[in-house]
Amino acid sequence: MEGTLLALQRNPGLSVLFFSLVFRVVHRLLRCLPAPKAVQLDEVRCWKWRNLCVSLVHALLTGPWAVTCVCLWPETLNNVHSYYTPVSYLLICVSSGYFVQDTGDILFSGHAKGSWEFLLHHFLVLWCFLYSLYTQRNVAGMVISLVVEINSVTLHTRLLLKLAGAQSSQLYHTNKLLNLFTYVTFRLGAQFYVTWYLLNNYSWLDHSNYFLLTVLLLNTMILIYFYRLLRADFFPRRKLHLEQNGTLSSSSSTFLND
């Protein structure tokens, strides 16, 4: 494993590019799977379905991976600035590859205008991840931030069920409750911890001002989406058009999810 780590550290950019190509292959393979009829009849829904399927694969892979890193190496929580293992460094390489691939998918498929929130999120995440990969600093912090992907599993499942028109199913109702639980526990919990660590160690951390600004922007986006989620699933007001982010709105589409 040490040899793999040295190879990744020697060429982090090439490593990220390699994993972005891997996720592109996954995207191609998932196109072979049948989609619901409600999705097939609409070109935009069809793209959203494929995009979310790749996002779900990323969440299923990196969420448990991040939690495993934290559980097996508890120093990840205590030494966020400089501690990391070959497994955790590889995790950030893999996840960075996904975000590069997904950004390209949005841009080159012509959905950038309706997905600007998603692109902003990816930009904020990618600069942090790439900084960690090139400097070997704050890798543990990036691992902690990927704990949110546990929630992304239920979040993406929710959106896929909405696209398939299955909002009245028992599966959707069960997933809705699980999504709320994982959002509070894993997404808000992980973001709270990273924010607390930054504030508590702001005076000596490298580039702490940039990281704090990034985290505060991400926190704002996460809280706004949490409000939308609660309003759509637990306090619906009236029937409006289904958006990419899975909430209900009469305005132009957005695609905010992590």
Side-chain angles (χ1 to χ4, degrees):
M1 199 65 190
E2 293 295 334
T4 302
L5 176 62
L6 289 175
L8 293 173
Q9 290 178 333
R10 199 175 296 120
N11 297 293
L14 290 178
S15 302
V16 171
L17 179 60
F18 169 76
F19 287 114
S20 70
L21 293 175
V22 170
F23 276 104
R24 194 61 191 170
V25 171
V26 172
H27 183 280
R28 280 289 187 183
L29 292 175
L30 289 174
R31 294 184 68 174
C32 300
L33 299 178
K37 289 185 178 180
V39 173
Q40 295 177 0
L41 297 176
D42 186 274
E43 183 180 348
V44 176
R45 282 174 175 256
C46 194
W47 171 79
K48 291 176 182 178
W49 179 271
R50 293 196 300 266
N51 184 279
L52 283 168
C53 284
V54 179
S55 298
L56 181 59
V57 170
H58 170 257
L60 287 168
L61 174 65
T62 59
W65 189 344
V67 172
T68 301
C69 288
V70 172
C71 292
L72 291 181
W73 299 286
E75 194 175 347
T76 299
L77 294 173
N78 302 322
N79 190 1
V80 173
H81 178 63
S82 58
Y83 180 78
Y84 66 94
T85 66
V87 176
S88 60
Y89 190 90
L90 177 61
L91 169 61
I92 305 307
C93 286
V94 171
S95 191
S96 297
Y98 159 74
F99 283 112
V100 169
Q101 185 279 146
D102 204 47
T103 300
D105 185 39
I106 294 172
L107 292 174
F108 295 119
S109 61
H111 296 282
K113 184 178 179 180
S115 308
W116 68 268
E117 293 173 332
F118 204 15
L119 291 174
L120 174 60
H121 170 270
H122 283 16
F123 171 78
L124 294 173
V125 170
L126 271 173
W127 99 256
C128 292
F129 279 14
L130 293 175
Y131 173 89
S132 295
L133 291 177
Y134 275 97
T135 64
Q136 290 86 56
R137 293 284 185 247
N138 299 318
V139 175
M142 302 305 105
V143 171
I144 296 170
S145 70
L146 280 172
V147 169
V148 305
E149 293 301 322
I150 293 293
N151 167 248
S152 293
V153 174
T154 56
L155 190 62
H156 296 327
T157 300
R158 170 184 177 272
L159 299 176
L160 288 169
L161 289 171
K162 272 184 170 282
L163 286 173
Q167 296 96 316
S168 60
S169 67
Q170 182 60 42
L171 177 59
Y172 183 88
H173 178 72
T174 303
N175 184 78
K176 178 174 70 173
L177 299 176
L178 282 173
N179 188 44
L180 178 63
F181 172 76
T182 58
Y183 204 106
V184 173
T185 306
F186 293 98
R187 189 171 295 275
L188 295 180
Q191 284 296 122
F192 173 80
Y193 185 86
V194 171
T195 305
W196 171 83
Y197 187 90
L198 277 171
L199 291 173
N200 205 40
N201 300 277
Y202 181 83
S203 60
W204 63 270
L205 286 173
D206 297 335
H207 306 294
S208 56
N209 51 340
Y210 294 110
F211 278 106
L212 183 59
L213 177 61
T214 300
V215 168
L216 291 178
L217 286 172
L218 288 172
N219 288 350
T220 302
M221 296 174 73
I222 287 173
L223 290 174
I224 290 174
Y225 189 79
F226 188 50
Y227 165 74
R228 293 177 181 174
L229 190 68
L230 290 174
R231 187 184 65 183
D233 274 357
F234 298 95
F235 305 101
R237 293 180 180 178
R238 60 186 182 277
K239 260 192 171 182
L240 298 172
H241 292 92
L242 176 65
E243 289 185 338
Q244 173 69 27
N245 66 1
T247 62
L248 300 176
S249 173
S250 58
S251 59
S252 61
S253 65
T254 58
F255 191 18
L256 176 58
N257 63 57
D258 144 359

